[in-house]
């Protein structure tokens, strides 16, 4: 029979969140794959786990290591995959390995535990279902703008990761794209001594982190987009004309239309552009 691949969740901060079953699995398997073997060694030492083999598995060696582990699984070995913290595959390597395991007929067994997106969501105070997890916010380019547009239109709670260095900039961008009144919760240092939840509007939270640089792991939970009003293009154009007559720029008109009527970005942009063209004429 082919082997078994265990997907083992590890603590996101507080070592007390490691499960008994997770420790048992790590003690029993033939190979442990870790994103950072140095960090995982600290975890293993804390729980007295002496692995037969500890190997690295990260984005730079994922392809080659997957082929190596595929052969082990086909030869009936047992393998555990862990990430630096939380649940593997959630914004971490592992998807390729799971597919390879299934290809050779190996069992894939989840060993649940800590998850930063879920921890932030359930304590955020926002609606917990439905929700969508989008992973890390792209640093720039088309991927970033596409995500902003999707977040603006999402009718349920959205959860994203961001680095502390880029948090303030991202909150400002979200405020510009989604409207400053959208409610947001920033969860920081989850399960650790300095755990923090900052709740408010995007404008308020962006202002806070613009003055107080954050540290540690960050999760952003965004409230759902407000329901779109049933408004005709004629009414929207009239509102856009009024803004243009008052000297508002196209960008300001787009933002106002989206905040006031809950429009998707493309529709608001089309209306704003038409109003601006008429004002130019």
């Amino acid at each position: 029979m082919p082997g078994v691949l265990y997907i083992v969740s590890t603590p996101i901060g507080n070592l007390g969140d490691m499960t008994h079953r997770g420790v048992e699995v790590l003690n029993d398997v033939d190979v442990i794959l870790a994103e950072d073997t140095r960090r995982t060694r600290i975890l293993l030492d804390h729980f007295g786990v002496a692995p037969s083999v500890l190997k690295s598995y990260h984005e730079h060696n994922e392809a080659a290591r997957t082929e190596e582990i595929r052969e082990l699984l086909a030869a009936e070995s047992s393998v555990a995959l862990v990430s630096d913290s939380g649940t593997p595959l959630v914004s971490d390597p592992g998807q390729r390995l799971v597919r390879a395991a299934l290809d050779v007929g190996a069992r894939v067994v989840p060993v649940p535990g800590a998850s930063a997106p879920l921890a932030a969501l359930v304590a955020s105070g926002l609606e917990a279902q439905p929700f969508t997890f989008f992973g890390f916010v792209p640093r720039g380019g088309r991927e970033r703008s596409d995500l902003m547009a999707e977040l603006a239109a999402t009718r349920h709670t959205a959860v994203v990761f961001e680095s502390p260095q880029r948090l303030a900039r991202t909150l400002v961008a979200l405020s510009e794209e989604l409207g400053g009144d959208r409610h947001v919760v920033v969860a920081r240092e989850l399960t650790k001594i300095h755990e923090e939840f900052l709740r408010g509007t995007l404008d308020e939270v962006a202002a806070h982190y613009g003055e107080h640089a954050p540290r540690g792991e960050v999760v952003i939970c965004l409230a759902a987009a407000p329901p779109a009003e049933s408004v005709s293009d004629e009414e929207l154009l009239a509102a856009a004309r009024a803004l243009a007559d008052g000297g508002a720029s196209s960008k300001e008109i787009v933002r106002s239309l989206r905040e006031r009527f809950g429009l998707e970005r493309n529709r608001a942009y089309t209306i704003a552009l038409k109003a601006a063209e008429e004002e130019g004429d």
Side-chain angles (χ1 to χ4, degrees), residues 60-83:
H60 302 297
N61 71 355
E62 184 176 5
R65 188 72 84 199
T66 294
E67 292 308 308
E68 175 187 341
I69 300 303
R70 181 200 296 267
E71 295 180 8
L72 291 177
L73 291 169
E76 303 182 18
S77 292
S78 58
V79 178
L81 173 67
V82 300
S83 60

Side-chain angles (χ1 to χ4, degrees), residues 82-279:
V82 300
S83 60
D84 286 349
S85 62
T87 301
L89 278 75
V90 180
S91 290
D92 284 319
Q95 190 65 59
R96 188 193 301 247
L97 183 61
V98 168
R99 289 172 179 161
L102 295 174
D103 284 346
V104 298
R107 292 172 57 211
V108 177
V109 179
V111 183
S115 168
L118 290 178
L121 175 67
V122 298
S124 68
L126 302 177
E127 291 294 330
Q129 59 182 3
F131 79 97
T132 300
F133 173 63
F134 291 92
F136 275 96
V137 177
R139 295 189 181 190
R142 180 65 179 271
E143 288 185 351
R144 184 179 177 89
S145 59
D146 285 350
L147 175 62
M148 292 291 176
E150 190 165 0
L151 292 174
T154 298
R155 303 299 180 193
H156 51 259
T157 301
V159 181
V160 296
F161 284 160
E162 185 53 289
S163 73
Q165 296 80 10
R166 294 191 295 273
L167 176 61
R169 169 177 169 251
T170 292
L171 289 171
V172 170
L174 287 169
S175 177
E176 293 174 348
E177 290 290 328
L178 281 63
D181 292 336
R182 181 79 69 90
H183 284 278
V184 64
V185 179
V186 173
R188 188 179 64 81
E189 292 286 77
L190 287 167
T191 77
K192 301 178 183 177
I193 294 174
H194 300 293
E195 178 178 274
E196 174 187 76
F197 285 84
L198 186 61
R199 301 172 175 87
T201 66
L202 277 168
D203 279 348
E204 292 168 343
V205 177
H208 173 84
Y209 285 115
E211 297 178 0
H212 304 89
R215 294 181 180 180
E217 305 287 336
V218 172
V219 183
I220 302 173
C221 298
L222 284 162
E229 295 183 22
S230 179
V231 184
S232 67
D233 283 354
E234 290 75 16
E235 293 174 290
L236 293 172
L237 187 55
R241 288 191 190 112
L243 291 168
D245 290 342
S249 66
S250 295
K251 184 176 181 179
E252 291 169 335
I253 294 173
V254 169
R255 180 173 181 176
S256 178
L257 292 176
R258 294 183 71 188
E259 289 183 357
R260 181 177 171 187
F261 301 106
L263 300 185
E264 294 185 0
R265 188 175 186 279
N266 288 342
R267 188 181 180 198
Y269 179 79
T270 299
I271 298 294
L273 185 62
K274 187 172 183 179
E277 289 174 348
E278 292 181 358
E279 181 71 12

